[in-house]
Structures are given as C-alpha cells and as structure tokens.
Amino acid sequence: MTRLTISHIEKLKSRREKFTCLTAYDATFAALLDKAGIEVILVGDSLGMVIQGRDTTVPVTNVDMVYHTRCVARGNKQALLIADLPYMSYATPEQAFTSAAELMQAGAQMVKLEGGEWLLPTITRLTERGVPVCAHLGLTPQSVDAFGGFRVQGRSEAAALQLLADARAVEAAGARMLVLECIPADLAARISDDLTIPTLGIGAGPGTDGQVLVLHDMLGISGLSARFVRNFMTGQESLDGAIKAYVQAVKDEQFPAPEHCFE
Ligand code: KIV
C-alpha cells in the first residue's frame, strides 16, 4: 500500500471534502490512526508536553523529532506523514536543510515550521530542494514566551490583516499546506477561501480545509481542557472508536462546533 501524498489532500480541498489529521509519536498509535482512516499524521513537537512532560515545546530537539518520526513511520502505512522542525532547528536556511533532511530520511514526507515573513527564504529554498513545507501561523507554540502565554492570535483588525498577508506570503514562497492555530473562526475561513493550498485548523473553527488535534487532548488524557478540544472518548468503549468518531465528526462537519471556536 502506498502512502497518501499532498496531491491527495489538494484534491480533497478542491472537492470541498474536509480532511483529518491527528498527532502521533509512536508506532502503535500511528497504526491505529492509519487504520481508522486518518489522512494526515503529524509528529508534532507537542511531544515535548504530552510525552516528555515539559511545560512548552521549546526544549524539544531534532534528535527527539527524528526518533519519534522513525517510530511513527514504522507503524504508518497510508497516511501522509508530516514532522515538526523543532525550536531553533531552522533559524537559518542552512540549519533548516540539515534538520529537514534528517526528518525526511526518518520517514517524513513534509516538514512543518512556525512563523511568517522571516521564513520566506527558508520555505522557498527547502521547496526548491524537494522538501515539501507546511507553514504554521497564529498561535505558534515555539513563540509562547514572546506571546506571553498560549493566547488566541489575530483578534485585532491589524493582526488579522497581518495573518492574511503572512498566509498569502508563505503560499507564494512555496508552502504546500498551512496550519492555523487558535485564531478567530471567521479569519481562518477567510484565509482558507483565499489560499489555493490546504489549510489545517486547530482552534480555528470549521472553515479550514482540515482539522488537527493533539492525540492526547482528544482522548482526554492530557489534562488540557481548552475550548477548542473535544474529548472523543466520551461515549466510546475503545481508542479505535474514539478515533473513528473524530474522523466522522470532521467529515460530517460536526466538529468543530460553535462552542469550540473563538470569535
Ligand atoms: O506540535 C503539534 O502537535 C502541532 C499541532 C498542535 C498543530 O503543531
């Protein structure tokens, strides 16, 4: 069985069919997600918090990311596999090449990096060298200390316009997908309609092309009770049931509901 590619996700966007993504950090969960029909698996640097027990993603290294990407790649058969470039592993384009190559050789099909304007040359150069890039805007957790906490972004008119400009710029630079995290739902919908590339939302309302959650949050085992998270274990008897319920809810556009959105 061959893995899905970004072209498949692009087709889903053109058909206006929502796509599903969850994070995974090991082979067993990767296999479970894959069998349940999740189209994109993200080896997120959220592993710093849910696997390593840290307060933020800042301490995560590329050695950590390579190890978990290898584990996930062994369990996954079909889903498109994206891996996060962790904090300061892409501070210069040269550093980004080395870090991205390590993740791709560990089994990733795309790398994700956080930020807007300053990353445009890096996105272009990675793309030119055959590394598909997923950009990440809004609440970018690696900048939590600069934001002064995990706060919703893009709430003022100026901030919303800046986010729209950044989204257009990362697409023009070559990004093939864009994660939008914790921004008002109407802004995320506007960006998703404006861009050709697929958008993937977390805390960004129902208007993005796909939805992603941190696995441990949607299983109700991380202790996080954020507005945008739904515990999919509720009413289910198995992990498999919870993941299938998530896939169905995203496909049927039942999740995220208004109570999971920011205005
Ligand atoms: O690290 C992660 O899990 C992420 C998602 C929250 C999008 O970046």
Side-chain angles (χ1 to χ4, degrees):
M1 191 176 284
T2 52
R3 286 214 205 148
L4 297 181
T5 64
I6 182 61
S7 311
H8 179 78
I9 308 301
E10 286 164 355
K11 271 187 211 128
L12 294 181
K13 172 162 181 145
S14 68
R15 296 207 299 254
R16 295 190 164 273
E17 180 181 336
K18 301 287 178 187
F19 70 96
T20 55
C21 176
L22 285 173
T23 63
Y25 317 100
D26 64 53
T28 305
F29 269 111
L32 200 64
L33 265 49
D34 189 37
K35 284 187 195 132
I38 291 285
E39 285 130 339
V40 181
I41 294 179
L42 170 66
V43 187
D45 61 355
S46 50
L47 68 84
M49 298 168 84
V50 296
I51 302 292
Q52 298 176 337
R54 301 177 190 271
D55 291 336
T56 72
T57 59
V58 171
V60 176
T61 66
N62 213 43
V63 173
D64 298 331
M65 293 308 304
V66 166
Y67 171 77
H68 287 280
T69 301
R70 279 201 188 112
C71 295
V72 169
R74 284 186 205 115
N76 174 41
K77 298 262 179 299
Q78 209 183 350
L80 173 71
L81 187 52
I82 306 180
D84 265 340
L85 283 164
Y87 183 73
M88 287 299 156
S89 69
Y90 52 99
T92 64
E94 288 66 31
Q95 210 186 355
F97 297 152
T98 308
S99 309
E102 287 170 0
L103 293 177
M104 298 295 281
Q105 287 176 336
Q109 294 160 277
M110 180 179 273
V111 299
K112 178 164 81 58
L113 37 71
E114 299 181 6
E117 183 128 25
W118 72 273
L119 276 173
L120 300 179
T122 302
I123 294 173
T124 302
R125 288 187 209 168
L126 283 172
T127 303
E128 284 167 354
R129 282 156 182 77
V131 180
V133 174
C134 175
H136 185 156
L137 295 172
L139 171 51
T140 45
Q142 290 171 19
S143 305
V144 62
D145 294 308
F147 290 145
F150 293 99
R151 301 220 167 103
V152 178
Q153 301 295 307
R155 278 196 145 140
S156 70
E157 184 62 18
L161 288 174
Q162 183 61 55
L163 268 175
L164 179 59
D166 281 344
R168 287 177 175 155
V170 295
E171 176 173 79
R176 303 291 300 274
M177 196 185 287
L178 171 62
V179 168
L180 294 170
E181 178 162 355
C182 289
I183 65 171
D186 56 351
L187 174 61
R190 186 175 168 198
I191 293 173
S192 303
D193 287 345
D194 195 81
L195 299 189
T196 308
I197 58 171
T199 60
L200 184 53
I202 173 164
T208 54
D209 304 307
Q211 295 292 330
V212 56
L213 283 176
V214 169
L215 180 68
H216 294 53
D217 293 344
M218 59 81 73
L219 294 178
I221 55 173
S222 65
L224 181 79
S225 59
R227 180 185 177 96
F228 59 87
V229 176
R230 179 171 139 194
N231 180 350
F232 281 89
M233 275 307 284
T234 306
Q236 299 295 330
E237 289 179 357
S238 66
L239 294 169
D240 185 50
I243 293 158
K244 284 184 174 148
Y246 170 75
V247 171
Q248 203 58 50
V250 172
K251 293 282 178 191
D252 292 347
E253 302 188 35
Q254 300 298 311
F255 178 81
E259 66 266 26
H260 305 117
C261 299
F262 301 108
E263 296 308 325

Coordinates of all heavy atoms in Angstrom, one line a residue, residues 23 25 42 44-47 57 84 112 114 136 179 181 202 212 214, ligand 1:
T23 N -2.1 14.0 15.8 CA -0.7 13.8 16.1 C -0.5 12.4 16.5 O -1.4 11.7 17.1 CB -0.2 14.7 17.2 OG1 -0.9 14.4 18.5 CG2 -0.4 16.2 16.9
Y25 N 3.1 9.8 18.0 CA 4.5 9.9 18.4 C 5.1 8.5 18.5 O 6.3 8.4 18.8 CB 4.6 10.6 19.8 CG 3.7 11.8 19.9 CD1 2.5 11.7 20.6 CD2 4.1 13.0 19.3 CE1 1.7 12.9 20.7 CE2 3.3 14.1 19.4 CZ 2.1 14.0 20.1 OH 1.3 15.1 20.1
L42 N 0.6 13.9 12.1 CA 1.6 14.9 12.4 C 2.5 14.4 13.6 O 1.9 14.1 14.7 CB 1.0 16.2 12.7 CG 1.9 17.3 13.3 CD1 2.9 17.8 12.3 CD2 1.0 18.5 13.8
G44 N 4.1 15.9 16.0 CA 4.2 17.3 16.5 C 5.3 17.4 17.6 O 5.5 16.5 18.3
D45 N 5.8 18.6 17.6 CA 6.7 18.9 18.8 C 5.9 19.0 20.1 O 6.5 19.2 21.1 CB 7.7 20.0 18.5 CG 7.0 21.4 18.3 OD1 5.7 21.4 18.2 OD2 7.7 22.4 18.1
S46 N 4.6 18.9 20.0 CA 3.8 18.8 21.2 C 4.2 17.6 22.0 O 3.8 17.5 23.2 CB 2.3 18.7 20.8 OG 2.1 17.7 19.8
L47 N 5.0 16.7 21.4 CA 5.5 15.6 22.2 C 6.3 16.1 23.4 O 6.4 15.3 24.4 CB 6.4 14.7 21.3 CG 7.7 15.1 20.7 CD1 8.9 14.9 21.7 CD2 8.0 14.4 19.4
T57 N 6.9 23.5 24.2 CA 7.6 22.7 23.1 C 9.1 23.2 22.9 O 9.8 22.6 22.2 CB 6.9 22.8 21.8 OG1 6.9 24.2 21.4 CG2 5.5 22.3 21.9
D84 N 7.4 17.9 12.6 CA 7.7 19.3 13.0 C 9.2 19.5 13.1 O 10.0 18.7 13.6 CB 7.2 19.6 14.4 CG 5.8 20.2 14.4 OD1 5.4 20.8 13.4 OD2 5.1 20.1 15.5
K112 N 7.1 20.7 9.0 CA 6.3 21.9 9.4 C 7.2 22.8 10.2 O 8.0 22.4 11.0 CB 5.1 21.4 10.2 CG 4.3 22.6 10.7 CD 2.9 22.2 11.2 CE 2.9 21.6 12.6 NZ 3.3 22.5 13.6
E114 N 7.2 27.0 12.1 CA 6.3 28.0 12.6 C 6.9 29.4 12.3 O 8.0 29.7 12.7 CB 6.2 27.9 14.1 CG 5.7 26.5 14.6 CD 5.5 26.4 16.1 OE1 5.8 27.4 16.8 OE2 5.2 25.3 16.5
H136 N 3.0 27.3 9.5 CA 2.2 27.3 10.8 C 2.1 28.7 11.3 O 3.1 29.3 11.6 CB 2.8 26.4 11.8 CG 2.1 26.1 13.0 ND1 2.3 25.0 13.8 CD2 1.1 26.9 13.7 CE1 1.5 25.1 14.9 NE2 0.8 26.2 14.8
V179 N -0.9 25.3 8.6 CA -1.6 25.1 9.9 C -2.0 26.5 10.5 O -1.2 27.4 10.5 CB -0.8 24.3 10.9 CG1 -1.4 24.4 12.3 CG2 -0.6 22.9 10.5
E181 N -3.5 28.0 13.9 CA -3.8 27.6 15.3 C -4.4 28.8 16.1 O -3.8 29.9 16.2 CB -2.5 27.1 15.9 CG -2.7 26.7 17.4 CD -1.6 25.8 17.9 OE1 -0.7 25.3 17.2 OE2 -1.7 25.5 19.1
I202 N -6.6 24.2 14.0 CA -6.7 23.7 15.4 C -7.1 24.9 16.2 O -6.4 25.9 16.2 CB -5.4 23.0 16.0 CG1 -5.5 22.7 17.5 CG2 -4.2 23.8 15.7 CD1 -4.5 21.7 18.0
V212 N -7.0 19.3 12.9 CA -6.0 18.6 13.6 C -6.2 18.8 15.1 O -6.6 19.9 15.5 CB -4.5 19.0 13.2 CG1 -4.3 20.5 13.3 CG2 -3.5 18.2 13.9
V214 N -4.2 17.4 19.0 CA -3.2 16.6 19.7 C -3.9 15.4 20.2 O -4.9 15.5 20.9 CB -2.5 17.4 20.8 CG1 -1.7 16.6 21.7 CG2 -1.7 18.6 20.2
Ligands
KIV1 O1 3.0 20.1 17.7 C1 1.9 19.9 17.4 O2 1.2 19.0 17.8 C2 1.3 20.9 16.5 C3 -0.2 20.9 16.3 C4 -0.9 21.4 17.5 C5 -0.7 21.5 15.1 O3 1.9 21.7 15.9

